[in-house]
């Protein structure tokens, strides 16, 4: 689809990657960008239309879709992390991850699917992660939720094909945002990642791998557990 003249809805648009998606869409000639956030007063992008939405609250999701009936592009970006360890975290932390990344993304997609269909099909972008494909024990809740979100994304892609809705998954490792502030090592520029993802949407791509780590891990998927987890044979983790 073309970004020029599109009408977009971005969740988690008040900071980080969501803010950069909002800016990139406006720079690309979008006719309007609804900037969704739990607290819309925190949306600071000039020209964006702040909208209150909590993706874990179904009534809030339905209200957002009812307000934004002209949307042709939905960017499911909102997320969080509890840093739930696989062995020690309370199970409620895992539930929070799934409520946000899996059920929240699904709720938004279901609510906006008829809107997109009526407006010619349009597109959905789901912000996933390299952790959709490889897990970290110290953040296993996030990893598991992102893996499930990837599965939901694939199902949505097939289910919405008949109405002409393109579904693009974005995979990326650590970003230079508040969420990854405590993570050491190199991080991708969220502004560049947003532009790369949107270029993928215009090119009709089903998946966008926005950094080298994501490409490396995707390749390792075909080679089994020891390639994804070199530490099983005494090596260093891929991420």
């Amino acid at each position: 689809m073309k970004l020029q003249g599109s009408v977009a809805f971005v969740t988690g648009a008040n900071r980080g990657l969501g803010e950069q998606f909002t800016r990139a869409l406006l720079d690309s000639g979008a006719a309007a960008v609804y900037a969704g956030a739990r607290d819309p007063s925190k949306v600071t992008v000039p020209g964006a239309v702040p909208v209150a939405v909590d993706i874990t609250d179904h009534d809030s999701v339905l209200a957002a879709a009812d307000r934004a009936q002209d949307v042709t592009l939905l960017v499911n970006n909102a997320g969080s992390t509890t840093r739930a360890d696989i062995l020690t975290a309370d199970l409620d932390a895992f539930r929070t991850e799934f409520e946000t990344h899996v059920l929240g993304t699904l709720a938004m997609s279901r609510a906006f699917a008829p809107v997109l269909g009526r407006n010619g099909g349009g597109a959905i972008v789901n912000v996933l992660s390299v952790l959709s494909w490889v897990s970290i024990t110290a953040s296993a809740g996030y990893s598991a939720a992102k893996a499930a979100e990837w599965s939901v994304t694939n199902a949505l892609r097939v289910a919405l094909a008949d109405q002409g809705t393109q579904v693009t998954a974005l995979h990326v490792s650590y970003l230079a945002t508040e969420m990854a502030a405590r993570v050491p090592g190199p991080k991708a520029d969220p502004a560049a990642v947003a532009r790369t993802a949107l270029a993928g949407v215009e090119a009709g791509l089903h998946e966008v791998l926005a950094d080298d780590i994501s490409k490396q891990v995707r390749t390792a998927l075909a080679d089994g557990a020891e390639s994804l987890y070199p530490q099983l044979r005494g090596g260093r983790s891929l991420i």
Side-chain angles (χ1 to χ4, degrees):
M1 68 169 291
K2 294 296 183 184
L3 300 180
Q4 179 76 36
S6 65
V7 177
F9 194 110
V10 181
T11 63
N14 57 302
R15 62 180 182 174
L17 183 59
E19 178 182 335
Q20 296 305 323
F21 265 117
T22 303
R23 293 183 184 279
L25 283 160
L26 290 168
D27 289 345
S28 297
V33 180
Y34 296 100
R38 286 183 175 178
D39 182 355
S41 70
K42 294 183 178 179
V43 173
T44 59
V45 179
V49 181
V51 177
V53 64
D54 177 350
I55 68 170
T56 66
D57 181 332
H58 194 55
D59 288 340
S60 175
V61 169
L62 294 178
D66 185 61
R67 175 176 178 181
Q69 287 288 302
D70 51 349
V71 164
T72 60
L73 172 61
L74 171 65
V75 180
N76 284 314
N77 164 78
S80 62
T81 179
T82 63
R83 296 179 176 83
D85 182 89
I86 189 64
L87 296 178
T88 61
D90 192 283
L91 288 180
D92 283 342
F94 283 78
R95 292 187 182 96
T96 296
E97 298 282 13
F98 275 76
E99 286 285 345
T100 302
H101 297 286
V102 184
L103 299 180
T105 295
L106 180 57
M108 288 293 296
S109 300
R110 283 180 163 186
F112 276 90
V115 175
L116 296 171
R118 287 193 296 270
N119 294 330
I124 297 173
V125 177
N126 285 345
V127 177
L128 302 181
S129 171
V130 67
L131 298 182
S132 306
W133 297 325
V134 63
S135 187
I136 298 176
T137 58
S139 192
Y142 182 88
S143 301
K146 283 299 184 182
E149 188 182 2
W150 181 42
S151 181
V152 165
T153 299
N154 290 331
L156 286 169
R157 183 178 297 124
V158 175
L160 297 178
D162 284 347
Q163 73 171 35
T165 298
Q166 172 186 329
V167 179
T168 299
L170 169 64
H171 296 271
V172 65
S173 59
Y174 299 119
L175 294 169
T177 63
E178 181 181 336
M179 186 181 292
R182 289 189 274 174
V183 179
K187 302 180 183 75
D189 174 14
V193 169
R195 291 193 298 269
T196 297
L198 293 174
V201 171
E202 286 207 302
L205 300 182
H206 294 308
E207 290 192 323
V208 174
L209 281 62
D211 62 357
D212 290 339
I213 293 177
S214 296
K215 295 171 185 176
Q216 181 183 3
V217 170
R218 179 61 183 272
T219 298
L221 277 173
D223 296 327
E226 289 193 353
S227 291
L228 281 174
Y229 305 100
Q231 56 268 49
L232 294 176
R233 46 183 166 78
R236 297 181 60 183
S237 173
L238 292 176
I239 55 175

